[in-house]
Amino acid sequence: MDPGPATEEASEELEQSLARFGRSIDEIDRVLITHPHMDHFGLAGRIVEESSARVFAHTDAVERLSDPIGYFETEQAYFRPFLLSMGMPADTVDTVLELPEPYTTYQDPVAVTDELAAGDVIDVGLDLECVSTPGHVPGSHCFLAASEDVMFTGDHVLSDITPNPLLTLVPGSDDERTRSLPTYLESLRKVLELEGAATEETVGHGGHGDPIQNLRGRVQETITHHQDRKERIANLVAEHEPTTAYRIMKEMFPSLPATEMFPGMSEVIGHLDLLEDENRVVIDETDGVKLYRLSE
Ligand SMILES: [Zn+2]
Ligand SMILES: [Zn+2]
């Protein structure tokens, strides 16, 4: 599951870890991918070359996995005018969108052989149920091993950081962005309601960091974090209205390096989306720039 980025280091680490169990890469039957981010799936293509393993991923991840670079370019084309409309200065937009380019070398395209949808069960010696959890990215899902009180959470729930609800394109579209944070919060609530994943005994295994001893508690904590942040952003809108998402991002994270600005904008726009859904903000457009103010 989630073999890591396409680097020599990750490849060697995987080889050594398998060797500890007397196994090697060419023996791998199946690669399970939690979501289409390079730090999770990047190495999958190389594994398939060596082992002819089958590849399992959510239907909404298939296109992006098969052509990550093409996908990235389509995304860049969409987000250039989008970020301008959110008040980001043109030279900053250029820097922000160009930066990820080196990272594209950490992923090889991979063809999905087995498309997964919510409720599908994979028998890997124990039953893993596919739980669809879009938000961090479309095509994100968790694998629930209910018999073991264990859930593999990808980047949906992590032990000590809150996953970024990254803005991206709606799967299959080149001109519509996701409303990542509202979707993400819905997916968090789904985990709380899910039979077998909602107890305090359930242990989560995320893609980064330590195991999550009380998955239910951590999900609730993450929801609360976003509620608090939403109120903080509503206060910032009140202070500076009418204002842009970019201005609010600069207020929230004054010393953010350009490398972190896309996640920063995703976070702020996500909360503005929530406030919009609750009819708490109004958006006016002046010269193609979106200005947010609180509702009367
Ligand atoms: Zn991720
Ligand atoms: Zn990750």
Side-chain angles (χ1 to χ4, degrees), residues 35 39-40 155 208:
H35 68 290
D39 54 325
H40 296 256
D155 278 353
H208 308 270

Side-chain angles (χ1 to χ4, degrees), residues 247-261:
R247 170 98 196 264
I248 291 174
M249 188 206 59
K250 294 293 277 182
E251 293 285 339
M252 286 274 302
F253 314 110
S255 50
L256 208 60
T259 38
E260 294 300 320
M261 273 192 193

Side-chain angles (χ1 to χ4, degrees), residues 19-21 24 49 61 106 129 166 223 229 260 265 284:
R20 267 180 246 138
F21 296 98
S24 56
E49 256 171 52
Y106 296 156
E129 185 191 335
L166 279 174
I223 292 172
R229 185 156 272 189
E260 294 300 320
M265 287 298 280
D284 303 308

